[in-house]
Amino acid sequence: MQELLSGLTSISAGQGAMFVIAGLLIWLAIAKEYEPTLLLPMGFGAILANIPFSAAIDQMTGGQVTEGPLSLLFRMGIATELFPLLIFIAIGAMIDFTPLLQQPILLLFGAAAQVGIFLTMGLAALGGFSLKEAASIGVIGAADGPTSIYVAAKFAPHLLGPISVAAYSYMALVPIIQPPVIKALTTRRERARKMELHPHPVSRKARIIFPILLTLLAGLLVPMAAGLIGFLMFGNLLREAGVVERLAKGAQNELANLVTILLGITIGATMTAAEFLQTKTLLIMGMGLAAFVFDTAGGVIFAKVLNLFLVRKVNPMIGACGISAFPMSARVIHKLGQEADPQNILLMHAVGANVGGQIGSVIAGGLLLALVS
Amino acid sequence: MDGEQWEIVRQTIDISLNGMAGVFIFMGLFTGVIVVLLKVFPHREG
C-alpha cells in the first residue's frame, strides 16, 4: 500500500507549484488562446515531468537509469536541434514572401527589430549570466520560438524551459506589448501616415530562385546559419515550386502539427521544479519582456531615422513589424494605423516587414551561434 | 560584479555590436539580391 501511495506521499512543494504553473499554461492556452499549439503541450509536459518518480522522464532506480520517453524525445529531438529545424520547414512552407519581394527595403526593418536580442544579451550579462546563457536569453528577442529553442538547446539547455515559456508567451502577448511602446514613440499623425501600395506581381522564377539564393548566400557566409536559414528556405521552396503541392501541404499541416506536439510536450518536460523554480526564471521572464520592448522600439526608431533620408516616408509603425512574431505583429500595426485613421491600410506593408523579420531573426540566431561559439 | 563577469559583459558588447552590424549587412545584401532578382526575372503577363 505504501508503495502504491509513494507518488502521493513524495510530492514536494516545488512539484505542487509546478502543477499550478502547468495549469496556468494550459488555462492560457485554452481560455485565452495564447499560443495554444505550444502552451497546451508544454503545460501537459510540465505535469508529466513533475509527477514524483514519473516514468515519463528518466529515473534513477537501483543505480541504473530507466529511460523515460520524454527524456528520450529531448535527446533525440531537442539536444540534436532536429525538432526546431523541422518546424522551420513547416514555417517556410507557410510563409508567402511575395509582399517582401514587392518591397525589398522592408527587409531592413527585419534587421532593425533584432536589436532587442543584443540589448537583452547585454542585460543578461549584467545580471550575472554566462556568455552562452546571455546569448540564449537574448534570442527570446528573436520573437521566434524555434530560433530561441535552437540557440538555447545549443548554448544553455538547462534554461530551455523558461526561455521557451517566455518566447511563446510574449509572442502571444504582442497585441498587448507593442501598442504602448509604439504610442510612446510616435504621434497620432505619424501613425495615420498612409503608405502607397504598388502591388506589382513577382515572377514565379524569382519566387523559386529567392529561397535557393538566400540559402547559398547565408550558408556560404555564415555556415553556422545554414541549418536555420536552409530549412526555412527549403520549406518555402516546396511551396513556391508548384510541383510538389502534396509535400508543401504535408509540411504545412502534418509535419507542423506532429513536430509541434512533440516539441511542446518535450520542452514542457524540461520544466522540472528543480530547474524551473529559481530566481533566474523570473529574471529570464523579465528580460524576455524587455527584449520584445527593445525590438519594437528599435524598429520604430529605425523607421523614423530612415524617414530623414526617404522622399516617400514610411509609417514608422512598420518598423515594429520587423519582429518575427508573424502574423500577429502585422495585424497589430494595421489595427493601430486604422485607429489613427480608418482609411489607413497598412496590412501588406506590415506583412512584408513581418516576413522580413522572420528572415532577420533566423540570421541573427545564426550569427549568434557563429559569434558566441 | 567580479572581474570575470565584467569580461563577460565586455565580450557581450563586442558580440552584440558585431551581431547587429552583421544582421544589417546580411539584410542589406538580401535586399540587393531581391532587387537584382526582380530585374533579371521580371514578371511577364500571361
Side-chain angles (χ1 to χ4, degrees):
Chain A
M1 189 65 185
Q2 200 175 354
E3 273 185 17
L4 279 177
L5 292 174
S6 62
L8 205 58
T9 52
S10 306
I11 196 162
S12 67
Q15 286 163 328
M18 286 311 297
F19 290 148
V20 175
I21 292 171
L24 181 70
L25 291 181
I26 292 172
W27 177 77
L28 285 172
I30 295 172
K32 297 287 175 185
E33 292 189 35
Y34 285 168
E35 293 285 339
T37 48
L38 250 300
L39 292 190
L40 185 72
M42 277 172 74
F44 201 80
I47 291 176
L48 281 175
N50 285 287
I51 292 172
F53 316 116
S54 168
I57 57 170
D58 286 356
Q59 294 294 342
M60 195 70 128
T61 41
Q64 280 200 322
V65 176
T66 310
E67 283 190 333
L70 292 179
S71 304
L72 198 61
L73 278 174
F74 182 88
R75 287 191 288 276
M76 286 166 51
I78 308 243
T80 59
E81 288 140 13
L82 187 65
F83 288 166
L85 287 177
L86 290 175
I87 287 281
F88 271 121
I89 297 180
I91 295 173
M94 288 177 202
I95 291 184
D96 179 5
F97 283 115
T98 309
L100 178 69
L101 294 173
Q102 287 171 333
Q103 302 175 85
I105 196 168
L106 295 175
L107 261 178
L108 295 180
F109 297 120
Q114 307 307 321
V115 71
I117 296 177
F118 300 104
L119 289 177
T120 308
M121 195 178 154
L123 264 186
L126 284 170
F129 288 93
S130 72
L131 186 61
K132 288 188 171 178
E133 287 175 335
S136 306
I137 296 166
V139 177
I140 297 172
D144 170 0
T147 302
S148 302
I149 294 167
Y150 188 85
V151 174
K154 206 159 200 126
F155 286 160
H158 57 290
L159 298 181
L160 207 48
I163 286 173
S164 307
V165 171
Y168 282 104
S169 306
Y170 295 137
M171 268 160 61
L173 292 173
V174 157
I176 295 165
I177 297 169
Q178 284 204 310
V181 181
I182 292 169
K183 284 181 180 173
L185 292 170
T186 55
T187 61
R188 189 182 176 87
R189 203 171 150 203
E190 283 175 321
R191 293 196 293 278
R193 184 178 292 150
K194 290 179 181 147
M195 289 174 69
E196 287 177 40
L197 187 63
H198 304 289
H200 50 85
V202 177
S203 70
R204 181 168 168 244
K205 276 184 191 163
R207 281 186 282 121
I208 291 174
I209 294 171
F210 173 69
I212 301 172
L213 211 53
L214 227 67
T215 305
L216 275 172
L217 262 177
L220 289 172
L221 293 173
V222 187
M224 293 282 274
L228 283 167
I229 195 89
F231 277 64
L232 180 75
M233 290 300 153
F234 171 60
N236 191 249
L237 183 61
L238 291 179
R239 174 197 176 96
E240 298 299 347
V243 291
V244 284
E245 204 179 325
R246 203 160 46 88
L247 299 189
K249 289 243 181 320
Q252 289 167 2
N253 299 301
E254 289 84 357
L255 181 68
N257 294 341
L258 192 63
V259 183
T260 301
I261 291 171
L262 297 178
L263 187 73
I265 198 163
T266 309
I267 287 174
T270 66
M271 294 167 61
T272 55
E275 288 286 350
F276 198 84
L277 293 179
Q278 296 189 23
T279 320
K280 63 184 175 189
T281 299
L282 285 176
L283 275 175
I284 291 169
M285 295 302 285
M287 285 188 272
L289 178 60
F292 274 65
V293 171
F294 291 148
D295 282 342
T296 306
V300 173
I301 292 167
F302 176 73
K304 291 179 94 162
V305 171
L306 203 62
N307 273 342
L308 298 175
F309 306 98
L310 291 177
V311 180
R312 279 188 303 184
K313 313 276 186 219
V314 296
N315 187 313
M317 292 196 297
I318 294 297
C321 291
I323 72 166
S324 172
F326 178 83
M328 193 88 79
S329 183
R331 282 193 207 130
V332 168
I333 272 58
H334 174 67
K335 201 173 149 212
L336 282 177
Q338 294 218 306
E339 261 175 41
D341 176 356
Q343 307 296 317
N344 197 3
I345 296 167
L346 294 172
L347 192 61
M348 287 312 280
H349 304 281
V351 168
N354 217 177
V355 295
Q358 181 68 56
I359 296 175
S361 66
V362 169
I363 290 295
L367 281 169
L368 261 186
L369 288 174
L371 291 168
V372 176
S373 294
Chain B
M1 262 194 316
D2 56 14
E4 199 181 331
Q5 195 61 35
W6 275 118
E7 176 55 21
I8 292 173
V9 173
R10 195 199 59 73
Q11 282 181 335
T12 305
I13 294 170
D14 204 30
I15 288 169
S16 296
L17 291 175
N18 285 319
M20 204 59 221
V23 175
F24 267 107
I25 290 168
F26 265 98
M27 298 305 251
L29 186 66
F30 293 165
T31 307
V33 165
I34 296 174
V35 171
V36 172
L37 200 59
L38 296 178
K39 287 252 185 284
V40 177
F41 300 104
H43 179 76
R44 291 200 175 85
E45 293 299 326

